[in-house]
Amino acid sequence: WDFFFFFRAALDARGAAMSHAVHREVHPPTGVDHAVTAYFTRPVGDGGDPNLIVASANRITVYAVNRRGDEESLDVCAEFDAQGAIGSMSVLRRRFGAPRNQRDALLIAIRERKLSVVEYDAATGDVCCSSMHSFESALGCNPLGTTLRMSREAPLVVSDPEGRCAAVVLREDGVAGKVRVLPSVDGGLGLVANDDEGRVRGPAASVRESFPLHLPGVRLIRDACFLHGYGEPALAVLYEKTPTWAGRYNLSKDTCEIVALSVDVDKQKGTVIWRRQNLPSSSYKLTALLPPLGGALVFSQDFLLHESQESSSVLGLNTFGHGGPQEGNDAEVAARAAGMGENAMANPPPACAARAVDCGLEITLDGAQASVVSEDRVLVTTKTGALLLLALHTDGRSLRRMMLQRAGGAVLSSGMCLLSRDLLFLGSRIGDSLLVKFTPKEEPTAPLMLPDAEDESEDEATEKSKGKRSKSGGAANRKRAKTAEAPPPAPSTPSPEDDDDELEALLYGTTKTETVQTDAVQTEKKREGLAGIIPGLKVAGYDLKVKDSLLGVAPVVDIAVGASAPMGSNKNERTELITACGQGKNGALAILTRGVQPELVTEVESGTLPNLQGLWTLHYRKEGSKEEREPFHHHLLLSMKSSTMIMETGEELQEVSASLEFITNQATLAASNIFGHYCSVQVTGTGIRVLKGGVKVQDVGLQDMDAPKGAAIASAQILDPYIIVRLSDGSIRLLSGDEKQMSVSLMETGAIPTSSVTAFALVDDSVEAADAAGGGERKSGWIHRAATNGTITGLEGNKKSGACNNSEAIVALTREGGSLELFSLPSCTRIWCADGLSEGMRVLSPQTPVNAESSVPEIVDIRIDSFQDAHERPLLTAVRGDGTLLLYKGFIVPAGTTYEGQDEPLEKNELRFSRVNVDVEGSGLNVAGIGAAGQLRDSLAGARLTRIGNVGEGQGVQGIFVAGPNPLWLIVRRSRVLALPTRGEGEVVAFTVFHNVNCPHGFILGTALGGVRICQMPSKMHYEAAWPVRKVALKCTPHTITYLPDFKLYALVTSAPVPWVEREIEQDNVHGIALAKVRRERAKANDDMELQYSVRLLVPGSLDSAWQHALEPGEHVQCVRNVQLRDINTGALLSLLAVGTAMPGGEDTPCRGRVILFQMVWERDAESMDGYRWKGQVCCVREAKMACTALSALDGHLIVAVGTKLTVHTWDGVELNSVAFFDTPIHTVSINVVKNFILVGDLEKGLHFFRWKANGFEKSIIQLSKDFDRMDVVSTEFLIDGATLSLLGSDMSGNARIFGYDPKSLESWKGQKLLVRSAYHVGSPISRMVRFNVEGTTAKAAPGERPKGTNRHAVFFGTLDGALGIFMPTDEPTYAKLHALQRELNTTVRSPIGCNPRTFRTPKVFEGKHVQLLAPLDVLDGGLLSKFETLTFTEQRAVAERSGVDRDLALGLIQHLSASNAFV
């Protein structure tokens, strides 16, 4: 290891003089890899539903089920990055005998042979690591440690359903698997106690040190699970004794076996209790069943088996699984002739086929997911998206029969788990994940006979069992059976069309329409029947309904950057990012924007309202009129520096300042409706005016507020019926309204301090919320209950006439020194206080005193809000004097919880606030600074933060708007806070919601330049993650998408199955005959369907298809580019669409391809809004003897990778002519061109760097350098920083390497070898890269000098897990400072599961792959650097001081990098 670190230091020193880059993940992964359920954030003793825990790549999200009447949804409880590639997850249950307030623990297996035990910390509202286990092997002679080698089979962690132990299966390529057992800590009566062995029984389940489990004769472990119903933990292991494959089934088949061991955790040994041999070689999955049956289901491609100590049963899934000779199979004839025996068969029958019962379906279960619903029901999803129901008919602990039937259509699931007795979660990597509610159907009253049944057949699958907690789920569901239904119609074999219709019905509640299929599709279809069904047998299915969905944009297949269509009255084009994602029926296009791009309805031009400072909209309700649910706004108040303008908001905006009695000769500080919209109140610097219908009702002057002489009102807030104001001397006054008298009066402040207050807010505590996420009764007055532990009663008053109940209002104050205090109204008693808000403490707790430094800036603005159905528990938003935005969420710490630094547990429940970390793009220091118009933003204290409510279509958007030079939307959704910048609006000084007949559910922005913009939210956008997304369903597989800037069109390539049609082929076309034979066999294996690719032209904005061209069936599109080709006859430069294709024909038929050029032409169309429409026209087709895998434009030429040749073509207006070529190694996957430099990525041979030389008649491709490390390239791109050109490539292991071409370096072998500048582990394979010019770098330069940064290009990329990220070059001084800061953050920032961020970002390689030379880790981790902003003020200063960087400078550099990432 000393040599390893010495070598690493030498590489770091070498790379110090090279160019540097920073990586930043701008959108988290969305593809669900694993999903489990656990009582993670709350114990089982509290009742309610368990948590749903979802893993997406290296990100874990914990959800709680939120039930509102008949509606169920998922709310986020916690989310964090694991800093490691997650291989598997399991749940360590609360052990029998442990306290009922003990929670479950989460077991996370990392691919680098590590295991982390994670639990929820109720004292901080966050997660923490209780223990970390490493199973790395010794270094040995291999220079690359096991921590940097990843097995292709990830470590598998499973746990005992009764919580007695857990097991980790370590699987290595070609090596027998190893199993290590982790005994759980014994359960006890006390919540926290130590025993004689030093084992701690804490608030969550935990494990002790692991020990190896000896497995005699076990090799190549495929799966494992713990069985139910045994006195000791019973581990079942599925393994392959002798490796084989489909081509060797005639010599070696039935190679899988199961061994069940009883594990004695005290003696640390296992005893074999039963075995099963001769299982199908395709067996891959085990699922434990609930007692009394017990045992495990074994999933294979063609069979479904149940194996237990008492019985063994087999269910056949298709006719192919039974094997036997195949007519017309030339391979069988050749094998018999070669002496392999007369009975040699390509598909010999497995041993279990003789006793298998036919299920009556034609399905395969490879890649299936399953969940055990009850003791006799299992739901299974297939790789095609079909949802199956497996019925188990038992006799005690013996299985009589298994029956399989179709239950409907679903998403293609990658993770499936049961949340409760009626909720099922279907996680997907290629579509939206679904929360499905299932209710049992009525048992049929008549026997199900064979011709009438759709409901019978067998199939099976299950997920990690839920032990005794899910034991009675099926029985309870059966008791709730509803009205009987008629027998279902005659079944049919599940087809893709059926699955699509059923998925649409599942998602949108539509009924399945009857479709007429062609005779070609109906032929060869096998009717679905019920095998083994006897008269009198009753089987009931489930009614399914989608309750919630989690948005998914994985995998990112391709990315295009284009210009969106104009929206509303705004005719300016905007950049939009479109990704092609999903597969099959889940295929879609996702339009993503970084932030909120308002749709302009109308505007008041800039400069019309100079010194604009505030905006307020008011309702007007006539006395005696019926209260409207969503009334329109009637008046708009515009506050300038010394005046106020009143506008009437009807069909048009009209000034009515003279006709109404509002105060217009002064600036307005606050305005709102009170007394249930009957009256309005206006606060100015000299007093308060109450109006009814625009007529003055009351004036409250400074003398009525006992203001000292010379004082004026500095700021104010209004919450019906209370008004709080701060005078210029810093004192606080509180006024209360009387609805009967229609007046306001000064009230006694009681314990509320009147001095040393830095910020204040009125809080509405009337939102109904449960005490904890996902459980308990929903009541109003949450803050009162939490702060007083329920001692204040009478808080559940109903909201009357839109007003807040008197006992549901709270005053929040921040004092000098950073303390936060809450006071109840109208009693004005202090109910809660805590220190450390200005310090930015992780948790605000009354139990933890904080002595903040005197240099910490004070809080200048504060809000506390609760949002119905979006963020029900309070959200605290505060702005510090230095511009830092602080967010906290409220939570209740249950009694008995211990806190760090305290010995005694809490005696009663306690209210605390935990900090919420949000990524604020480039704002920060300028939030409270001086704006572009020179106005001091500090004069708007109390107006920076505005509540957003009911903005946008549908359920609307809720949250907080932060005004300033970089306006920010804090949108709340699923109890999660999303920080989204405002695009294209500049500095915003005021915001207000606006509901009008011409602008429903809109908003108004006041700009610093004196303009007003009335806007609406973009339609059909989903605010689920870091970027707003709009998905357009394709219901087919997208492959590539390209933007055509000259025509403002998108070119999309999709594929969909079409019926096989026999085509006439000439007799002398040997290749065509062989290709047709292969395609025919492939179509027969897919229900006589084959893929057909098509090229579409899409219109920006709506993304409607303007034109479509279908390619030949069986011809696959490999690449699509918009190219600029020069006509050698005319010299004109034409913009064309180039498509490269391939015609795969299997191993025995050469794969040929074509290059097709399309030109865009337009034709008149009366139905189009523009009067014309675009369409494509084939202008050239060039046949190729090999596949065309990549192409690009090169100085007016077309460069194409055909097989193992790189060819350059010229265009003469009719055809392509070859002028130069170069032999490439194996398979070219990408071509990138910058000027005359060419970057080529090969799938197995790394990067190749070329230069195009064209001097007169001499045209050639010259290889400058190449990568000798044999990198398995997936995608490539250039990284440009001024005059420095770097080469970026990614591989299948999720690594990104930056290369440089330096012929003067001795290490480059005179330029022949590309030098690795740096390497970085992204965490997931990068599927597509896009280069773009970095915004905000076009600074002006002195005369004669080159503008600095004008040629800086970053790379935007998408991954197979649905994540989006950026690689951006950075200069040497910035890198040096941030690299020193990053070194400190590696050890300062708390890791949720205990993994090291530097180890995670170190490049890794899969076992069996070529080990590449170690490269310097010179890429900055932008995600880790952003954690610097989440530290407390004191921690920031300490870390910056240790790094040798000033705190403000470090924050400025980090925020500058964030602002430079403003891609769209």
Side-chain angles (χ1 to χ4, degrees):
W1 282 105
D2 293 339
F3 171 76
F4 172 78
F5 286 113
F6 172 78
F7 187 50
R8 168 68 68 184
L11 289 175
D12 290 344
R14 185 191 68 177
M18 309 298 179
S19 60
H20 306 286
V22 58
H23 163 265
R24 183 66 186 274
E25 185 180 82
V26 297
H27 191 283
T30 58
V32 175
D33 296 321
H34 312 281
V36 295
T37 58
Y39 285 92
F40 187 71
T41 62
R42 40 198 295 274
V44 64
D46 290 355
D49 299 315
N51 296 103
L52 170 66
I53 305 175
V54 172
S56 302
N58 63 322
R59 189 172 185 84
I60 295 178
T61 307
V62 182
Y63 295 94
V65 179
N66 194 350
R67 295 182 182 265
R68 305 180 189 91
D70 294 335
E71 298 298 324
E72 292 85 11
S73 62
L74 296 175
D75 286 350
V76 176
C77 296
E79 54 184 343
F80 54 91
D81 290 328
Q83 300 294 348
I86 299 174
S88 62
M89 286 197 315
S90 186
V91 176
L92 183 64
R93 307 291 179 187
R94 179 187 68 90
R95 187 166 180 175
F96 178 77
R100 289 186 60 81
N101 56 357
Q102 190 179 72
R103 298 181 295 273
D104 298 337
L106 181 64
L107 305 175
I108 304 174
I110 307 300
R111 276 190 172 271
E112 293 82 16
R113 304 171 68 89
K114 295 184 179 69
L115 177 72
S116 179
V117 183
V118 180
E119 64 181 51
Y120 178 76
D121 188 356
T124 61
D126 206 348
V127 297
C128 60
C129 178
S130 62
S131 63
M132 187 79 181
H133 308 262
S134 178
F135 308 108
E136 301 172 13
S137 60
L139 184 62
C141 298
N142 195 327
L144 197 64
T146 55
T147 186
L148 305 181
R149 294 202 313 265
M150 297 187 299
S151 174
R152 296 188 181 276
E153 296 291 337
L156 174 65
V157 56
V158 293
S159 57
D160 180 56
E162 297 184 16
R164 294 169 290 191
C165 66
V168 181
V169 180
L170 304 174
R171 300 174 286 188
E172 300 178 1
D173 294 344
V175 181
K178 302 177 182 178
V179 177
R180 297 191 69 91
V181 177
L182 299 93
S184 64
V185 174
D186 297 336
L189 299 178
L191 184 61
V192 178
N194 295 334
D195 58 15
D196 297 336
E197 300 180 16
R199 297 175 297 184
V200 178
R201 292 189 295 272
S206 57
V207 298
R208 292 177 282 167
E209 186 178 354
S210 65
F211 64 87
L213 183 64
H214 178 60
L215 302 177
V218 174
R219 295 177 55 86
L220 301 179
I221 299 177
R222 292 191 174 183
D223 199 13
C225 71
F226 279 94
L227 303 178
H228 293 266
Y230 286 88
E232 288 186 339
L235 179 65
V237 179
L238 173 66
Y239 65 97
E240 188 175 18
K241 189 173 184 179
T242 304
T244 187
W245 63 292
R248 284 181 50 86
Y249 279 177
N250 197 60
L251 300 176
S252 178
K253 60 178 182 177
D254 300 327
T255 56
C256 287
E257 298 182 2
I258 292 181
V259 58
L261 302 97
S262 178
V263 181
D264 189 337
V265 295
D266 294 327
K267 297 182 180 179
Q268 298 187 358
K269 70 174 185 178
T271 304
V272 176
I273 51 179
W274 57 271
R275 286 180 180 270
R276 289 293 183 271
Q277 299 178 342
N278 298 328
L279 300 181
S281 300
S282 60
S283 302
Y284 67 95
K285 182 182 180 65
L286 292 178
T287 298
L289 295 180
L290 297 175
L293 178 60
L297 291 174
V298 184
F299 286 83
S300 70
Q301 183 174 358
D302 306 311
F303 296 94
L304 187 60
L305 303 91
H306 173 262
E307 303 292 344
S308 67
Q309 192 169 356
E310 290 81 9
S311 62
S312 176
S313 302
V314 184
L315 188 68
L317 304 176
N318 51 64
T319 55
F320 183 81
H322 293 280
Q326 299 175 354
E327 296 182 4
N329 193 323
D330 298 335
E332 289 186 353
V333 177
R336 294 163 187 165
M340 297 185 64
E342 297 180 357
N343 297 325
M345 290 177 287
N347 183 27
C352 64
R355 57 190 181 94
V357 178
D358 187 10
C359 74
L361 298 173
E362 280 294 323
I363 58 174
T364 57
L365 284 187
D366 50 328
Q369 297 290 329
S371 182
V372 179
V373 177
S374 64
E375 301 90 337
D376 57 354
R377 293 291 186 272
V378 180
L379 285 175
V380 183
T381 59
T382 67
K383 64 178 181 180
T384 60
L387 189 63
L388 307 175
L389 173 62
L390 176 67
L392 306 172
H393 297 272
T394 63
D395 184 8
R397 295 182 61 89
S398 299
L399 179 63
R400 295 177 56 193
R401 63 182 57 85
M402 294 184 290
M403 309 181 65
L404 197 63
Q405 67 186 41
R406 297 183 65 241
V411 295
L412 279 67
S413 301
S414 58
M416 182 178 181
C417 60
L418 187 72
L419 272 77
S420 64
R421 296 178 298 177
D422 59 348
L423 289 178
L424 181 72
F425 178 74
L426 300 174
S428 178
R429 281 183 54 86
I430 60 175
D432 294 349
S433 300
L434 305 178
L435 177 66
V436 180
K437 186 172 185 177
F438 60 94
T439 54
K441 296 180 180 178
E442 179 69 20
E443 295 281 355
T445 57
L448 290 180
M449 304 304 293
L450 180 61
D452 301 325
E454 175 194 31
D455 283 338
E456 297 286 2
S457 255
E458 298 185 11
D459 184 355
E460 160 169 7
T462 162
E463 203 231 340
K464 298 291 178 288
S465 164
K466 298 188 59 63
K468 296 183 179 180
R469 275 172 273 189
S470 62
K471 192 172 180 180
S472 60
N477 284 335
R478 287 193 295 273
K479 291 180 181 179
R480 293 183 297 169
K482 297 182 181 179
T483 59
E485 298 180 359
S492 60
T493 303
S495 64
E497 293 83 359
D498 296 337
D499 294 337
D500 291 344
D501 293 337
E502 290 178 356
L503 176 60
E504 186 173 352
L506 189 66
L507 288 172
Y508 307 110
T510 58
T511 59
K512 180 178 175 181
T513 58
E514 303 222 356
T515 58
V516 180
Q517 299 179 341
T518 61
D519 294 337
V521 178
Q522 289 182 347
T523 58
E524 308 262 344
K525 290 283 186 181
K526 179 180 177 181
R527 288 178 56 84
E528 176 184 325
L530 301 177
I533 307 302
I534 60 176
L537 188 62
K538 299 179 181 180
V539 175
Y542 293 98
D543 289 323
L544 305 174
K545 184 178 181 181
V546 172
K547 295 307 230 176
D548 199 0
S549 62
L550 302 180
L551 190 69
V553 293
V556 177
V557 181
D558 199 5
I559 301 176
V561 181
S564 64
M567 298 179 180
S569 61
N570 188 359
K571 301 303 180 182
N572 297 327
E573 292 184 352
R574 301 179 180 182
T575 303
E576 68 179 3
L577 177 73
I578 297 184
T579 65
C581 57
Q583 182 181 4
K585 61 185 179 183
N586 298 114
L589 294 179
I591 300 94
L592 300 101
T593 58
R594 180 63 181 109
V596 177
Q597 295 185 347
E599 295 182 5
L600 181 65
V601 177
T602 185
E603 67 174 334
V604 177
E605 295 183 358
S606 299
T608 307
L609 303 171
N611 299 320
L612 179 66
Q613 293 185 350
L615 297 169
W616 296 271
T617 51
L618 301 176
H619 297 283
Y620 171 59
R621 178 185 174 190
K622 295 182 179 179
E623 190 170 355
S625 63
K626 185 178 179 180
E627 183 180 5
E628 300 179 20
R629 181 180 178 184
E630 294 180 351
F632 290 138
H633 288 103
H634 286 74
H635 297 103
L636 170 65
L637 273 67
L638 305 174
S639 175
M640 274 71 73
K641 187 175 182 180
S642 58
S643 63
T644 299
M645 180 183 296
I646 315 299
M647 307 288 291
E648 186 178 65
T649 59
E651 291 288 343
E652 297 179 355
L653 291 178
Q654 297 180 356
E655 184 177 0
V656 291
S657 302
S659 60
L660 301 179
E661 297 183 3
F662 285 91
I663 301 174
T664 58
N665 59 353
Q666 299 181 43
T668 299
L669 300 179
S672 179
N673 288 104
I674 59 173
F675 309 141
H677 298 168
Y678 284 111
C679 294
S680 304
V681 61
Q682 180 187 15
V683 182
T684 64
T686 58
I688 301 174
R689 174 167 293 185
V690 181
L691 304 97
K692 182 178 180 180
V695 179
K696 181 181 70 173
V697 175
Q698 179 191 15
D699 273 339
V700 180
L702 292 173
Q703 65 278 4
D704 298 326
M705 290 180 273
D706 297 334
K709 186 176 181 180
I713 300 176
S715 58
Q717 279 196 16
I718 305 170
L719 177 64
D720 189 9
Y722 298 105
I723 304 173
I724 186 172
V725 299
R726 180 167 60 183
L727 304 180
S728 55
D729 63 351
S731 60
I732 299 295
R733 299 292 186 271
L734 186 63
L735 298 92
S736 176
D738 187 349
E739 185 174 356
K740 294 181 179 180
Q741 301 295 329
M742 295 291 180
S743 62
V744 297
S745 59
L746 186 68
M747 60 181 295
E748 293 293 333
T749 57
I752 299 179
T754 58
S755 61
S756 70
V757 175
T758 62
F760 58 88
L762 287 171
V763 183
D764 182 4
D765 196 23
S766 63
V767 175
E768 295 183 352
D771 290 346
E777 183 181 358
R778 317 174 86 81
K779 297 180 180 179
S780 60
W782 188 92
I783 299 179
H784 280 94
R785 295 198 313 272
T788 63
N789 202 26
T791 56
I792 296 182
T793 59
L795 302 179
E796 289 76 33
N798 295 324
K799 217 172 178 183
K800 181 180 179 182
S801 302
C804 175
N805 187 277
N806 286 351
S807 60
E808 294 179 343
I810 292 175
V811 175
L813 302 175
T814 56
R815 305 284 295 274
E816 294 179 359
S819 63
L820 173 66
E821 299 180 2
L822 303 180
F823 297 85
S824 176
L825 292 179
S827 63
C828 296
T829 58
R830 189 173 72 175
I831 59 176
W832 189 86
C833 66
D835 298 332
L837 178 58
S838 61
E839 176 72 14
M841 296 297 294
R842 213 174 108 208
V843 177
L844 300 181
S845 170
Q847 304 290 334
T848 308
V850 178
N851 296 322
E853 298 182 7
S854 58
S855 60
V856 178
E858 299 291 349
I859 300 296
V860 297
D861 230 337
I862 185 176
R863 281 194 69 96
I864 299 180
D865 299 270
S866 299
F867 304 91
Q868 189 71 40
D869 300 336
H871 199 294
E872 296 178 342
R873 277 155 293 282
L875 176 67
L876 166 62
T877 310
V879 179
R880 201 163 57 190
D882 61 351
T884 302
L885 191 64
L886 301 173
L887 294 177
Y888 288 84
K889 62 179 180 180
F891 68 101
I892 297 176
V893 182
T897 304
T898 58
Y899 187 60
E900 184 178 358
Q902 295 182 356
D903 298 330
E904 296 297 329
L906 295 177
E907 296 181 357
K908 58 182 180 179
N909 296 347
E910 183 179 285
L911 170 64
R912 292 180 182 177
F913 287 86
S914 65
R915 188 167 175 182
V916 179
N917 300 327
V918 293
D919 181 16
V920 180
E921 181 187 285
S923 46
L925 293 178
N926 289 328
V927 170
I930 297 178
Q935 302 156 314
L936 187 63
R937 295 275 73 80
D938 286 338
S939 63
L940 292 179
R944 296 185 193 88
L945 306 177
T946 308
R947 181 186 175 102
I948 306 170
N950 211 16
V951 173
E953 59 183 7
Q955 297 180 352
V957 171
Q958 301 183 74
I960 303 295
F961 185 87
V962 184
N966 300 305
L968 192 69
W969 296 71
L970 300 177
I971 295 179
V972 292
R973 178 81 170 93
R974 299 187 187 280
S975 299
R976 173 197 283 145
V977 183
L978 307 176
L980 303 178
T982 306
R983 293 299 183 200
E985 299 298 335
E987 182 180 0
V988 175
V989 297
F991 170 92
T992 185
V993 296
F994 182 57
H995 185 42
N996 181 264
V997 63
N998 294 323
C999 182
H1001 305 297
F1003 56 93
I1004 304 178
L1005 300 176
T1007 65
L1009 301 178
V1012 174
R1013 296 172 63 86
I1014 302 177
C1015 308
Q1016 287 181 312
M1017 294 292 289
S1019 60
K1020 300 179 181 179
M1021 298 296 291
H1022 297 274
Y1023 299 92
E1024 293 280 344
W1027 289 33
V1029 180
R1030 177 168 73 93
K1031 289 188 70 174
V1032 178
L1034 298 175
K1035 294 188 177 180
C1036 57
T1037 302
H1039 294 277
T1040 61
I1041 184 167
T1042 305
Y1043 183 64
L1044 311 178
D1046 296 329
F1047 310 101
K1048 294 182 174 57
L1049 295 171
Y1050 289 99
L1052 173 67
V1053 175
T1054 62
S1055 66
V1058 295
W1060 163 261
V1061 178
E1062 197 72 41
R1063 294 170 178 83
E1064 295 183 2
I1065 302 176
E1066 298 180 1
Q1067 295 295 328
D1068 57 348
N1069 189 352
V1070 180
H1071 177 266
I1073 294 175
L1075 183 61
K1077 180 180 178 180
V1078 174
R1079 288 171 48 194
R1080 187 184 302 110
E1081 294 296 331
R1082 189 178 301 161
K1084 284 184 178 180
N1086 292 278
D1087 295 330
D1088 286 337
M1089 306 290 285
E1090 64 175 343
L1091 282 180
Q1092 184 176 32
Y1093 283 68
S1094 61
V1095 181
R1096 307 183 191 181
L1097 294 180
L1098 306 180
V1099 180
S1102 64
L1103 295 182
D1104 294 333
S1105 179
W1107 173 82
Q1108 181 173 344
H1109 174 78
L1111 302 179
E1112 295 182 8
E1115 184 177 17
H1116 293 198
V1117 175
Q1118 300 293 301
C1119 52
V1120 176
R1121 284 289 182 93
N1122 176 226
V1123 296
Q1124 306 289 328
L1125 301 186
R1126 189 177 303 279
D1127 191 332
I1128 60 175
N1129 295 327
T1130 63
L1133 197 63
L1134 303 178
S1135 179
L1136 303 174
L1137 181 67
V1139 178
T1141 69
M1143 303 179 200
E1147 298 179 353
D1148 301 327
T1149 306
C1151 179
R1152 296 186 178 179
R1154 296 193 299 171
V1155 176
I1156 309 174
L1157 296 181
F1158 295 92
Q1159 62 179 358
M1160 303 299 115
V1161 296
W1162 63 273
E1163 62 182 10
R1164 297 189 181 277
D1165 185 5
E1167 298 180 357
S1168 174
M1169 296 180 58
D1170 300 326
Y1172 67 92
R1173 67 182 182 93
W1174 290 98
K1175 70 174 184 178
Q1177 189 177 52
V1178 178
C1179 59
C1180 178
V1181 177
R1182 181 180 176 88
E1183 303 286 342
K1185 293 184 178 180
M1186 302 182 73
C1188 301
T1189 58
L1191 51 80
S1192 182
L1194 175 63
D1195 192 23
H1197 300 73
L1198 180 66
I1199 181 171
V1200 184
V1202 179
T1204 57
K1205 284 188 181 295
L1206 197 63
T1207 311
V1208 179
H1209 302 269
T1210 58
W1211 168 249
D1212 61 3
V1214 178
E1215 61 182 9
L1216 294 171
N1217 302 301
S1218 301
V1219 294
F1221 73 93
F1222 191 92
D1223 290 330
T1224 54
I1226 297 179
H1227 181 81
T1228 301
V1229 295
S1230 63
I1231 298 177
N1232 304 98
V1233 176
V1234 169
K1235 295 185 177 179
N1236 63 334
F1237 295 106
I1238 307 168
L1239 174 61
V1240 173
D1242 191 89
L1243 186 61
E1244 292 292 339
K1245 295 295 183 179
L1247 302 183
H1248 296 257
F1249 190 42
F1250 300 94
R1251 181 170 63 89
W1252 167 246
K1253 183 178 181 181
N1255 296 328
F1257 293 99
E1258 181 184 359
K1259 297 182 179 182
S1260 60
I1261 303 175
I1262 301 174
Q1263 178 171 297
L1264 299 178
S1265 185
K1266 67 176 183 178
D1267 172 26
F1268 283 84
D1269 284 343
R1270 295 185 294 173
M1271 179 181 177
D1272 51 343
V1273 176
V1274 177
S1275 58
T1276 58
E1277 191 51 90
F1278 286 102
L1279 199 63
I1280 303 174
D1281 185 13
T1284 304
L1285 184 66
S1286 301
L1287 317 177
L1288 179 62
S1290 65
D1291 61 16
M1292 287 299 298
S1293 302
N1295 303 318
R1297 294 177 179 267
I1298 301 177
F1299 296 84
Y1301 173 63
D1302 187 5
K1304 297 181 180 180
S1305 174
L1306 296 177
E1307 299 177 359
S1308 67
W1309 304 343
K1310 297 184 178 180
Q1312 298 182 43
K1313 179 182 178 182
L1314 288 175
L1315 300 179
V1316 182
R1317 303 299 194 192
S1318 58
Y1320 189 84
H1321 184 64
V1322 177
S1324 178
I1326 297 176
S1327 55
R1328 184 71 168 89
M1329 294 183 181
V1330 176
R1331 188 177 72 251
F1332 68 97
N1333 190 12
V1334 178
E1335 293 183 6
T1337 57
T1338 55
K1340 294 183 179 180
E1345 295 183 3
R1346 183 175 181 176
K1348 182 180 179 181
T1350 55
N1351 195 31
R1352 173 169 288 183
H1353 286 242
V1355 172
F1356 191 88
F1357 65 86
T1359 70
L1360 297 181
D1361 289 312
L1364 303 175
I1366 292 179
F1367 280 106
M1368 188 175 63
T1370 183
D1371 54 82
E1372 176 64 29
T1374 301
Y1375 169 80
K1377 295 180 177 64
L1378 293 182
H1379 187 63
L1381 185 67
Q1382 180 174 299
R1383 283 199 304 265
E1384 293 295 329
L1385 292 176
N1386 275 319
T1387 55
T1388 302
V1389 174
R1390 185 185 64 90
S1391 177
I1393 71 169
C1395 291
N1396 190 335
R1398 180 177 175 84
T1399 303
F1400 173 54
R1401 295 305 183 184
T1402 304
K1404 300 169 182 63
V1405 65
F1406 281 114
E1407 291 182 354
K1409 278 290 185 179
H1410 174 71
V1411 178
Q1412 300 175 353
L1413 294 178
L1414 295 176
L1417 191 60
D1418 282 350
V1419 178
L1420 295 175
D1421 188 351
L1424 180 60
L1425 289 173
S1426 66
K1427 296 292 193 299
F1428 181 76
E1429 299 181 83
T1430 67
L1431 301 177
T1432 66
F1433 188 88
T1434 304
E1435 290 173 342
Q1436 288 178 352
R1437 295 188 60 178
V1439 171
E1441 184 178 353
R1442 293 196 300 267
S1443 306
V1445 185
D1446 182 70
R1447 172 192 171 272
D1448 293 339
L1449 177 61
L1451 279 174
L1453 292 175
I1454 294 173
Q1455 291 166 358
H1456 175 70
L1457 288 179
S1458 177
S1460 300
N1461 291 341
F1463 178 46
V1464 290

